Amino acid sequence: MYTIKIGDIMYFVIAYRTVFLYLFIILCYKIMGKKEVGELGIIDLIVSFSISELTAICIEEPDKSILTSLIPISILVILEIALSYFGMKNEKIRNIVDGKPSIIIKEGKINFKAMNKLRYTLDDLLTQLREKDVKSIEDVKYAVLETDGELSIFKDNNDYPLPLIIDGKVDEE
């Protein structure tokens, strides 16, 4: 006959916490509206690392209350949602949190000043141009480095790389 030992109960607690926290984190990301890692900005990535660390601590230390992880994770989710909300309402907050797109190529000429500011190398630019099947920089009217690191390329004069009016204000840049 098999008897249950304290070590066996500890394994059950660890397994339970792992499954519970897994489901809780999925719920948190659904609430935050994140679908994939490629959509994460810097702040989102920091929150993700923090959540994973809090989860690991909770699983590794089954003698501590699960609330020692659930409360900070919930606070991080609330802060993330609040920051996203205020970022939608306020351009300054949005620019601090998400950054601004930068024009890397204008009228077929490379903007090295913007590239230096972003620590974006010529190799990075050429690699992304090749990925978009651009053979020559002169073929590009505008190239905009988006806040997620993606390079948007505009070859035609009829394309406008940035909106002229944002949140009801004319963008002078």
Side-chain angles (χ1 to χ4, degrees), residues 116-131:
N116 285 335
K117 182 179 175 188
L118 298 168
R119 291 181 297 286
Y120 186 73
T121 67
L122 188 58
D123 288 338
D124 296 333
L125 175 62
L126 295 175
T127 299
Q128 288 191 310
L129 288 172
R130 283 192 301 272
E131 288 172 355

Side-chain angles (χ1 to χ4, degrees), residues 11-171:
Y11 291 131
F12 175 75
V13 169
I14 291 171
Y16 165 76
R17 284 178 176 223
T18 302
V19 171
F20 177 78
L21 287 166
Y22 174 74
L23 295 173
F24 183 71
I25 291 169
I26 288 174
L27 176 68
C28 289
Y29 275 89
K30 292 291 184 183
I31 290 170
M32 288 190 301
K34 308 301 176 202
K35 294 182 183 115
E36 52 189 69
V37 175
E39 294 180 11
L40 299 179
I42 293 172
I43 302 291
D44 302 322
L45 197 58
I46 292 168
V47 168
S48 295
F49 286 145
S50 300
I51 288 173
S52 66
E53 186 64 29
L54 289 165
T55 303
I57 290 169
C58 182
I59 293 170
E60 291 172 353
E61 299 179 15
D63 55 324
K64 289 188 177 179
S65 170
I66 198 166
L67 290 176
T68 59
S69 286
L70 290 182
I71 291 171
I73 289 171
S74 299
I75 291 170
L76 287 172
V77 170
I78 291 167
L79 287 172
E80 173 68 17
I81 291 169
L83 201 54
S84 295
Y85 175 79
F86 290 121
M88 286 188 327
K89 301 293 181 189
N90 187 307
E91 182 182 357
K92 289 179 183 177
I93 292 173
R94 184 172 52 246
N95 289 339
I96 290 169
V97 173
D98 296 332
K100 289 178 73 173
S102 298
I103 297 175
I104 300 298
I105 298 175
K106 183 176 183 178
E107 303 288 337
K109 296 184 182 183
I110 299 174
N111 183 350
F112 286 104
K113 188 175 182 181
M115 288 176 60
N116 285 335
K117 182 179 175 188
L118 298 168
R119 291 181 297 286
Y120 186 73
T121 67
L122 188 58
D123 288 338
D124 296 333
L125 175 62
L126 295 175
T127 299
Q128 288 191 310
L129 288 172
R130 283 192 301 272
E131 288 172 355
K132 304 273 186 175
D133 294 326
V134 175
K135 303 204 184 336
S136 172
I137 291 173
E138 289 82 27
D139 295 342
V140 178
K141 190 72 172 169
Y142 291 98
V144 178
L145 186 63
E146 306 294 347
T147 57
D148 64 356
E150 184 73 23
L151 189 68
S152 297
I153 297 172
F154 302 90
K155 295 180 180 181
D156 193 337
N157 278 333
N158 296 328
D159 293 334
Y160 293 104
L162 296 171
L164 298 176
I165 299 174
I166 301 172
D167 294 334
K169 298 176 187 172
V170 176
D171 185 5

